[in-house]
PDB file of all heavy atoms in Angstrom:
ATOM      1  N   ALA A   1      -8.727 -17.395   6.768  1.00 98.00           N
ATOM      2  CA  ALA A   1      -7.381 -17.758   7.154  1.00 98.00           C
ATOM      3  C   ALA A   1      -6.457 -16.534   7.248  1.00 98.00           C
ATOM      4  O   ALA A   1      -5.617 -16.494   8.171  1.00 98.00           O
ATOM      5  CB  ALA A   1      -6.848 -18.783   6.247  1.00 98.00           C
ATOM      6  N   ALA A   2      -6.595 -15.634   6.304  1.00 98.00           N
ATOM      7  CA  ALA A   2      -5.672 -14.486   6.229  1.00 98.00           C
ATOM      8  C   ALA A   2      -6.279 -13.349   5.496  1.00 98.00           C
ATOM      9  O   ALA A   2      -7.215 -13.577   4.678  1.00 98.00           O
ATOM     10  CB  ALA A   2      -4.354 -14.934   5.501  1.00 98.00           C
ATOM     11  N   ILE A   3      -5.811 -12.141   5.826  1.00 98.00           N
ATOM     12  CA  ILE A   3      -6.314 -10.933   5.194  1.00 98.00           C
ATOM     13  C   ILE A   3      -5.129 -10.056   4.755  1.00 98.00           C
ATOM     14  O   ILE A   3      -4.014 -10.149   5.310  1.00 98.00           O
ATOM     15  CB  ILE A   3      -7.262 -10.115   6.113  1.00 98.00           C
ATOM     16  CG1 ILE A   3      -6.486  -9.586   7.421  1.00 98.00           C
ATOM     17  CG2 ILE A   3      -8.452 -10.866   6.515  1.00 98.00           C
ATOM     18  CD1 ILE A   3      -5.953  -8.225   7.289  1.00 98.00           C
ATOM     19  N   ALA A   4      -5.381  -9.218   3.786  1.00 98.00           N
ATOM     20  CA  ALA A   4      -4.424  -8.208   3.387  1.00 98.00           C
ATOM     21  C   ALA A   4      -5.212  -6.934   3.002  1.00 98.00           C
ATOM     22  O   ALA A   4      -6.205  -7.047   2.195  1.00 98.00           O
ATOM     23  CB  ALA A   4      -3.526  -8.647   2.196  1.00 98.00           C
ATOM     24  N   GLY A   5      -4.868  -5.823   3.500  1.00 98.00           N
ATOM     25  CA  GLY A   5      -5.471  -4.534   3.165  1.00 98.00           C
ATOM     26  C   GLY A   5      -4.450  -3.679   2.516  1.00 98.00           C
ATOM     27  O   GLY A   5      -3.361  -3.545   2.972  1.00 98.00           O
ATOM     28  N   TYR A   6      -4.811  -3.066   1.394  1.00 98.00           N
ATOM     29  CA  TYR A   6      -3.861  -2.222   0.665  1.00 98.00           C
ATOM     30  C   TYR A   6      -4.546  -1.053   0.004  1.00 98.00           C
ATOM     31  O   TYR A   6      -5.772  -0.986  -0.033  1.00 98.00           O
ATOM     32  CB  TYR A   6      -3.105  -3.037  -0.397  1.00 98.00           C
ATOM     33  CG  TYR A   6      -3.944  -3.359  -1.611  1.00 98.00           C
ATOM     34  CD1 TYR A   6      -3.910  -2.543  -2.747  1.00 98.00           C
ATOM     35  CD2 TYR A   6      -4.735  -4.481  -1.650  1.00 98.00           C
ATOM     36  CE1 TYR A   6      -4.689  -2.810  -3.849  1.00 98.00           C
ATOM     37  CE2 TYR A   6      -5.506  -4.777  -2.792  1.00 98.00           C
ATOM     38  CZ  TYR A   6      -5.481  -3.935  -3.882  1.00 98.00           C
ATOM     39  OH  TYR A   6      -6.222  -4.213  -5.010  1.00 98.00           O
ATOM     40  N   ARG A   7      -3.759  -0.098  -0.358  1.00 98.00           N
ATOM     41  CA  ARG A   7      -4.232   1.108  -1.082  1.00 98.00           C
ATOM     42  C   ARG A   7      -3.191   1.565  -2.026  1.00 98.00           C
ATOM     43  O   ARG A   7      -1.995   1.215  -1.950  1.00 98.00           O
ATOM     44  CB  ARG A   7      -4.669   2.178  -0.118  1.00 98.00           C
ATOM     45  CG  ARG A   7      -3.535   2.763   0.683  1.00 98.00           C
ATOM     46  CD  ARG A   7      -3.960   3.783   1.706  1.00 98.00           C
ATOM     47  NE  ARG A   7      -4.556   3.158   2.876  1.00 98.00           N
ATOM     48  CZ  ARG A   7      -5.735   3.554   3.426  1.00 98.00           C
ATOM     49  NH1 ARG A   7      -6.408   4.522   2.913  1.00 98.00           N
ATOM     50  NH2 ARG A   7      -6.191   2.937   4.473  1.00 98.00           N
ATOM     51  N   HIS A   8      -3.617   2.384  -3.020  1.00 98.00           N
ATOM     52  CA  HIS A   8      -2.683   2.917  -3.943  1.00 98.00           C
ATOM     53  C   HIS A   8      -2.235   4.280  -3.360  1.00 98.00           C
ATOM     54  O   HIS A   8      -2.992   5.012  -2.833  1.00 98.00           O
ATOM     55  CB  HIS A   8      -3.382   3.213  -5.285  1.00 98.00           C
ATOM     56  CG  HIS A   8      -3.682   1.923  -6.028  1.00 98.00           C
ATOM     57  ND1 HIS A   8      -4.788   1.146  -5.711  1.00 98.00           N
ATOM     58  CD2 HIS A   8      -3.026   1.320  -6.980  1.00 98.00           C
ATOM     59  CE1 HIS A   8      -4.819   0.102  -6.472  1.00 98.00           C
ATOM     60  NE2 HIS A   8      -3.726   0.215  -7.313  1.00 98.00           N
ATOM     61  N   LYS A   9      -0.909   4.543  -3.510  1.00 97.00           N
ATOM     62  CA  LYS A   9      -0.401   5.820  -3.033  1.00 97.00           C
ATOM     63  C   LYS A   9       0.499   6.431  -4.106  1.00 97.00           C
ATOM     64  O   LYS A   9       0.925   5.762  -5.087  1.00 97.00           O
ATOM     65  CB  LYS A   9       0.457   5.566  -1.744  1.00 97.00           C
ATOM     66  CG  LYS A   9      -0.347   5.275  -0.506  1.00 97.00           C
ATOM     67  CD  LYS A   9       0.521   5.359   0.705  1.00 97.00           C
ATOM     68  CE  LYS A   9      -0.383   5.393   1.967  1.00 97.00           C
ATOM     69  NZ  LYS A   9       0.441   5.737   3.151  1.00 97.00           N
ATOM     70  N   HIS A  10       0.781   7.692  -3.915  1.00 97.00           N
ATOM     71  CA  HIS A  10       1.603   8.466  -4.807  1.00 97.00           C
ATOM     72  C   HIS A  10       2.343   9.514  -4.044  1.00 97.00           C
ATOM     73  O   HIS A  10       1.727  10.313  -3.335  1.00 97.00           O
ATOM     74  CB  HIS A  10       0.677   9.145  -5.861  1.00 97.00           C
ATOM     75  CG  HIS A  10       1.404   9.779  -7.007  1.00 97.00           C
ATOM     76  ND1 HIS A  10       0.799  10.668  -7.783  1.00 97.00           N
ATOM     77  CD2 HIS A  10       2.680   9.686  -7.404  1.00 97.00           C
ATOM     78  CE1 HIS A  10       1.664  11.120  -8.718  1.00 97.00           C
ATOM     79  NE2 HIS A  10       2.834  10.527  -8.530  1.00 97.00           N
ATOM     80  N   ASN A  11       3.670   9.448  -4.077  1.00 95.00           N
ATOM     81  CA  ASN A  11       4.487  10.434  -3.373  1.00 95.00           C
ATOM     82  C   ASN A  11       5.773  10.763  -4.167  1.00 95.00           C
ATOM     83  O   ASN A  11       6.068  10.066  -5.185  1.00 95.00           O
ATOM     84  CB  ASN A  11       4.763  10.021  -1.941  1.00 95.00           C
ATOM     85  CG  ASN A  11       5.569   8.761  -1.825  1.00 95.00           C
ATOM     86  OD1 ASN A  11       6.461   8.435  -2.673  1.00 95.00           O
ATOM     87  ND2 ASN A  11       5.447   8.092  -0.686  1.00 95.00           N
ATOM     88  N   LEU A  12       6.463  11.769  -3.745  1.00 95.00           N
ATOM     89  CA  LEU A  12       7.661  12.158  -4.422  1.00 95.00           C
ATOM     90  C   LEU A  12       8.782  11.107  -4.345  1.00 95.00           C
ATOM     91  O   LEU A  12       9.534  10.910  -5.255  1.00 95.00           O
ATOM     92  CB  LEU A  12       8.175  13.535  -3.883  1.00 95.00           C
ATOM     93  CG  LEU A  12       7.311  14.731  -4.169  1.00 95.00           C
ATOM     94  CD1 LEU A  12       7.869  15.908  -3.434  1.00 95.00           C
ATOM     95  CD2 LEU A  12       7.216  15.011  -5.683  1.00 95.00           C
ATOM     96  N   HIS A  13       8.836  10.445  -3.214  1.00 92.00           N
ATOM     97  CA  HIS A  13       9.941   9.431  -2.994  1.00 92.00           C
ATOM     98  C   HIS A  13       9.792   8.226  -3.924  1.00 92.00           C
ATOM     99  O   HIS A  13      10.760   7.850  -4.589  1.00 92.00           O
ATOM    100  CB  HIS A  13       9.925   9.005  -1.584  1.00 92.00           C
ATOM    101  CG  HIS A  13      10.918   7.961  -1.241  1.00 92.00           C
ATOM    102  ND1 HIS A  13      10.603   6.580  -1.332  1.00 92.00           N
ATOM    103  CD2 HIS A  13      12.229   7.987  -0.899  1.00 92.00           C
ATOM    104  CE1 HIS A  13      11.740   5.921  -1.046  1.00 92.00           C
ATOM    105  NE2 HIS A  13      12.670   6.737  -0.826  1.00 92.00           N
ATOM    106  N   SER A  14       8.634   7.720  -4.046  1.00 94.00           N
ATOM    107  CA  SER A  14       8.452   6.432  -4.749  1.00 94.00           C
ATOM    108  C   SER A  14       7.542   6.524  -6.001  1.00 94.00           C
ATOM    109  O   SER A  14       7.384   5.554  -6.722  1.00 94.00           O
ATOM    110  CB  SER A  14       7.781   5.402  -3.824  1.00 94.00           C
ATOM    111  OG  SER A  14       8.580   5.197  -2.693  1.00 94.00           O
ATOM    112  N   GLY A  15       6.974   7.630  -6.283  1.00 95.00           N
ATOM    113  CA  GLY A  15       6.074   7.750  -7.401  1.00 95.00           C
ATOM    114  C   GLY A  15       4.774   7.060  -6.983  1.00 95.00           C
ATOM    115  O   GLY A  15       4.290   7.093  -5.889  1.00 95.00           O
ATOM    116  N   ARG A  16       4.185   6.338  -7.967  1.00 97.00           N
ATOM    117  CA  ARG A  16       2.924   5.595  -7.738  1.00 97.00           C
ATOM    118  C   ARG A  16       3.252   4.202  -7.262  1.00 97.00           C
ATOM    119  O   ARG A  16       4.137   3.525  -7.864  1.00 97.00           O
ATOM    120  CB  ARG A  16       2.062   5.544  -8.967  1.00 97.00           C
ATOM    121  CG  ARG A  16       1.635   6.924  -9.392  1.00 97.00           C
ATOM    122  CD  ARG A  16       0.601   6.864 -10.557  1.00 97.00           C
ATOM    123  NE  ARG A  16       0.215   8.139 -10.959  1.00 97.00           N
ATOM    124  CZ  ARG A  16      -0.646   8.986 -10.382  1.00 97.00           C
ATOM    125  NH1 ARG A  16      -1.256   8.549  -9.334  1.00 97.00           N
ATOM    126  NH2 ARG A  16      -0.917  10.194 -10.865  1.00 97.00           N
ATOM    127  N   PHE A  17       2.578   3.718  -6.213  1.00 97.00           N
ATOM    128  CA  PHE A  17       2.890   2.369  -5.649  1.00 97.00           C
ATOM    129  C   PHE A  17       1.696   1.857  -4.909  1.00 97.00           C
ATOM    130  O   PHE A  17       0.753   2.558  -4.648  1.00 97.00           O
ATOM    131  CB  PHE A  17       4.182   2.440  -4.843  1.00 97.00           C
ATOM    132  CG  PHE A  17       4.091   3.302  -3.584  1.00 97.00           C
ATOM    133  CD1 PHE A  17       3.763   2.749  -2.335  1.00 97.00           C
ATOM    134  CD2 PHE A  17       4.245   4.657  -3.657  1.00 97.00           C
ATOM    135  CE1 PHE A  17       3.680   3.578  -1.199  1.00 97.00           C
ATOM    136  CE2 PHE A  17       4.155   5.467  -2.548  1.00 97.00           C
ATOM    137  CZ  PHE A  17       3.843   4.931  -1.299  1.00 97.00           C
ATOM    138  N   ILE A  18       1.774   0.602  -4.521  1.00 98.00           N
ATOM    139  CA  ILE A  18       0.817  -0.016  -3.647  1.00 98.00           C
ATOM    140  C   ILE A  18       1.424  -0.088  -2.270  1.00 98.00           C
ATOM    141  O   ILE A  18       2.546  -0.565  -2.050  1.00 98.00           O
ATOM    142  CB  ILE A  18       0.390  -1.402  -4.156  1.00 98.00           C
ATOM    143  CG1 ILE A  18      -0.452  -1.265  -5.425  1.00 98.00           C
ATOM    144  CG2 ILE A  18      -0.416  -2.176  -3.029  1.00 98.00           C
ATOM    145  CD1 ILE A  18      -0.939  -2.577  -6.015  1.00 98.00           C
ATOM    146  N   TYR A  19       0.635   0.308  -1.294  1.00 98.00           N
ATOM    147  CA  TYR A  19       1.057   0.203   0.092  1.00 98.00           C
ATOM    148  C   TYR A  19       0.156  -0.743   0.798  1.00 98.00           C
ATOM    149  O   TYR A  19      -1.065  -0.638   0.802  1.00 98.00           O
ATOM    150  CB  TYR A  19       0.932   1.642   0.790  1.00 98.00           C
ATOM    151  CG  TYR A  19       1.375   1.547   2.220  1.00 98.00           C
ATOM    152  CD1 TYR A  19       2.731   1.562   2.547  1.00 98.00           C
ATOM    153  CD2 TYR A  19       0.464   1.333   3.285  1.00 98.00           C
ATOM    154  CE1 TYR A  19       3.185   1.461   3.813  1.00 98.00           C
ATOM    155  CE2 TYR A  19       0.905   1.265   4.525  1.00 98.00           C
ATOM    156  CZ  TYR A  19       2.259   1.299   4.863  1.00 98.00           C
ATOM    157  OH  TYR A  19       2.676   1.159   6.174  1.00 98.00           O
ATOM    158  N   ILE A  20       0.795  -1.704   1.444  1.00 98.00           N
ATOM    159  CA  ILE A  20       0.061  -2.763   2.223  1.00 98.00           C
ATOM    160  C   ILE A  20      -0.083  -2.215   3.689  1.00 98.00           C
ATOM    161  O   ILE A  20       0.873  -2.111   4.378  1.00 98.00           O
ATOM    162  CB  ILE A  20       0.728  -4.099   2.209  1.00 98.00           C
ATOM    163  CG1 ILE A  20       0.833  -4.617   0.750  1.00 98.00           C
ATOM    164  CG2 ILE A  20       0.028  -5.098   3.080  1.00 98.00           C
ATOM    165  CD1 ILE A  20       1.708  -5.841   0.624  1.00 98.00           C
ATOM    166  N   ASP A  21      -1.299  -1.908   4.056  1.00 98.00           N
ATOM    167  CA  ASP A  21      -1.623  -1.400   5.388  1.00 98.00           C
ATOM    168  C   ASP A  21      -1.635  -2.594   6.398  1.00 98.00           C
ATOM    169  O   ASP A  21      -1.227  -2.383   7.525  1.00 98.00           O
ATOM    170  CB  ASP A  21      -3.019  -0.728   5.435  1.00 98.00           C
ATOM    171  CG  ASP A  21      -3.088   0.533   4.686  1.00 98.00           C
ATOM    172  OD1 ASP A  21      -3.229   0.490   3.441  1.00 98.00           O
ATOM    173  OD2 ASP A  21      -3.037   1.590   5.292  1.00 98.00           O
ATOM    174  N   ASP A  22      -2.254  -3.679   6.009  1.00 98.00           N
ATOM    175  CA  ASP A  22      -2.530  -4.750   6.905  1.00 98.00           C
ATOM    176  C   ASP A  22      -2.271  -6.099   6.270  1.00 98.00           C
ATOM    177  O   ASP A  22      -2.702  -6.281   5.088  1.00 98.00           O
ATOM    178  CB  ASP A  22      -4.035  -4.698   7.344  1.00 98.00           C
ATOM    179  CG  ASP A  22      -4.385  -3.359   7.864  1.00 98.00           C
ATOM    180  OD1 ASP A  22      -3.867  -2.967   8.912  1.00 98.00           O
ATOM    181  OD2 ASP A  22      -5.261  -2.712   7.250  1.00 98.00           O
ATOM    182  N   LEU A  23      -1.607  -7.013   6.928  1.00 98.00           N
ATOM    183  CA  LEU A  23      -1.353  -8.351   6.491  1.00 98.00           C
ATOM    184  C   LEU A  23      -1.357  -9.240   7.716  1.00 98.00           C
ATOM    185  O   LEU A  23      -0.522  -9.010   8.583  1.00 98.00           O
ATOM    186  CB  LEU A  23      -0.086  -8.471   5.643  1.00 98.00           C
ATOM    187  CG  LEU A  23       0.243  -9.888   5.177  1.00 98.00           C
ATOM    188  CD1 LEU A  23      -0.783 -10.340   4.095  1.00 98.00           C
ATOM    189  CD2 LEU A  23       1.662  -9.912   4.599  1.00 98.00           C
ATOM    190  N   ALA A  24      -2.308 -10.176   7.819  1.00 97.00           N
ATOM    191  CA  ALA A  24      -2.394 -11.009   8.966  1.00 97.00           C
ATOM    192  C   ALA A  24      -2.952 -12.378   8.632  1.00 97.00           C
ATOM    193  O   ALA A  24      -3.748 -12.450   7.726  1.00 97.00           O
ATOM    194  CB  ALA A  24      -3.243 -10.345  10.069  1.00 97.00           C
ATOM    195  N   THR A  25      -2.412 -13.324   9.365  1.00 97.00           N
ATOM    196  CA  THR A  25      -2.915 -14.705   9.231  1.00 97.00           C
ATOM    197  C   THR A  25      -3.442 -15.164  10.611  1.00 97.00           C
ATOM    198  O   THR A  25      -2.808 -14.854  11.600  1.00 97.00           O
ATOM    199  CB  THR A  25      -1.778 -15.651   8.778  1.00 97.00           C
ATOM    200  OG1 THR A  25      -1.241 -15.134   7.550  1.00 97.00           O
ATOM    201  CG2 THR A  25      -2.261 -17.055   8.606  1.00 97.00           C
TER     202      THR A  25
END
């Protein structure tokens, strides 16, 4: 029915966070 693709990222602006690359239904 639906997918979500994510990865962990780390940058100066946000520190460590999860970034959602793909979200679709």
